[in-house]
Structure formats: structure tokens, C-alpha cells
Amino acid sequence: VDGRRVAAGNTKLMSAEGAALTEGGAQAEGKTAVHLAIDGSYGGSIILGDTIKPTTGPAIARLRRLGIRKTVLLTGDTPAVAESVAKQLDIDLVESQLLPADKVMRVEELLAVQENGGKLAFVGDGINDAPVLAGADVGAAMGSGADAAIEAADVVFMTSGVEAIPEALDIARQTNRIAW
């Protein structure tokens, strides 16, 4: 930028740029630090954090009441961020720092250990989720997501709200009871 070398990224990138540092409390608080180096010197950081929608926790609780036995969070986020989200949402298992291929491998492993005819549903919205959506027993894309995710999914929710999932499951079960 204007003749200066500017790098933005994680601590590994800062180390490679000669501007090594520790991430401090940003990730301990469930946030992500994007560090900046200018010509090899540390320039500062930008702290990013996702906001969990207030309807997500109740939606997961409702899924449990509907019989969903295990919830898993597969994410590319750092361990601190992923653990923070999982704790807030009462997620059973969390795996972080996953690349798209890692998510596919992990879903294949989960499919291999299904109990008593159980099914694995994967919910995603990004282009990197498309292979996992296609490989799950049921792939559910959130309609506000990437076209590749929507094309790969079995079910598309035309909302970004997770509360649509237990609602659809509840409707499907009621429909199943009245169908001939």
C-alpha cells in the first residue's frame, strides 16, 4: 500500500513478517484478532467477533426436545472462539481450525459411527460447506448463503435463522402422522 508492505492476519503471519506477538485476551474472550504488520513491524490489530442471534440458543434447545441427541460445531475458527460459541449454545462437541477438507473428513467419521440407524444432518451456508452438505445424510443450507451451498443441500431454508430447523422438523413429524 503506497509502496509499503502491509500484512493482515494471524500470529503465524506476523511471525513470518518478523512482527511476532501473542494474541492476548482477544481470543480468550471468544473474539478473533486480525493483526497488522507494516514493513515487518507490528502495527496493531482489529478485533472481530460474531454475534450469536438470540434465537439460536432456544432453537438448539428445541432440537434437543425434538430428540436430537448430539450437536457438533465444526468450524475454521480458533479454539477459543469455537469454545466460547459452543459454551453459549450448549453444543456437545466442538472442533476448530478446520479447513474445508477437514470438515468433510470429520463428517465422514461421524457418519461411520452413527448409532441405531441415526442420521447426520449438517447445516451450513458457505461455499466451503458445499462438499459437507452433499456428503451428510441431510444437508441443510441457509438460504442467505452461497449458491454452491444451496445447490449441494437437500433442504434449503429461505432464512438465516436457525429456528427454522426445529420448526421444519416439527412440521415434518406432524405431516408424517397424518399422511396415508
Side-chain angles (χ1 to χ4, degrees):
V1 175
D2 294 330
R4 301 182 81 185
R5 180 177 171 84
V6 177
N10 61 18
T11 56
K12 288 181 184 177
L13 179 62
M14 292 301 103
S15 180
E17 290 291 317
L21 67 147
T22 60
E23 296 203 29
Q27 291 194 353
E29 298 169 11
K31 299 194 181 340
T32 300
V34 178
H35 300 289
L36 302 168
I38 302 167
D39 293 329
S41 296
Y42 180 70
S45 61
I46 300 167
I47 307 302
L48 304 172
D50 289 328
T51 302
I52 298 172
K53 293 179 182 177
T55 55
T56 303
I60 291 173
R62 185 171 173 201
L63 284 170
R64 290 187 189 284
R65 289 191 303 275
L66 289 169
I68 302 302
R69 294 186 300 266
K70 186 174 186 178
T71 55
V72 179
L73 174 62
L74 304 177
T75 180
D77 285 335
T78 64
V81 171
E83 290 292 339
S84 173
V85 169
K87 183 178 179 182
Q88 291 176 64
L89 297 176
D90 193 28
I91 301 290
D92 297 314
L93 173 66
V94 61
E95 297 198 25
S96 57
Q97 293 184 316
L98 299 176
L99 298 172
D102 298 328
K103 288 183 183 182
V104 171
M105 184 177 67
R106 189 61 185 114
V107 165
E108 288 171 353
E109 292 168 357
L110 290 167
L111 284 167
V113 296
Q114 286 300 314
E115 302 173 8
N116 302 324
K119 299 295 181 191
L120 185 141
F122 182 87
V123 179
D125 66 356
I127 191 166
N128 292 332
D129 292 328
V132 186
L133 288 163
D137 290 320
V138 177
M142 303 315 284
S144 60
D147 288 346
I150 291 169
E151 289 294 323
D154 300 302
V155 177
V156 178
F157 292 98
M158 299 310 293
T159 177
S160 61
V162 178
E163 64 275 9
I165 298 167
E167 182 69 22
L169 185 56
D170 194 36
I171 291 168
R173 287 180 177 174
Q174 291 176 30
T175 304
N176 191 32
R177 283 194 290 263
I178 61 172
W180 298 104

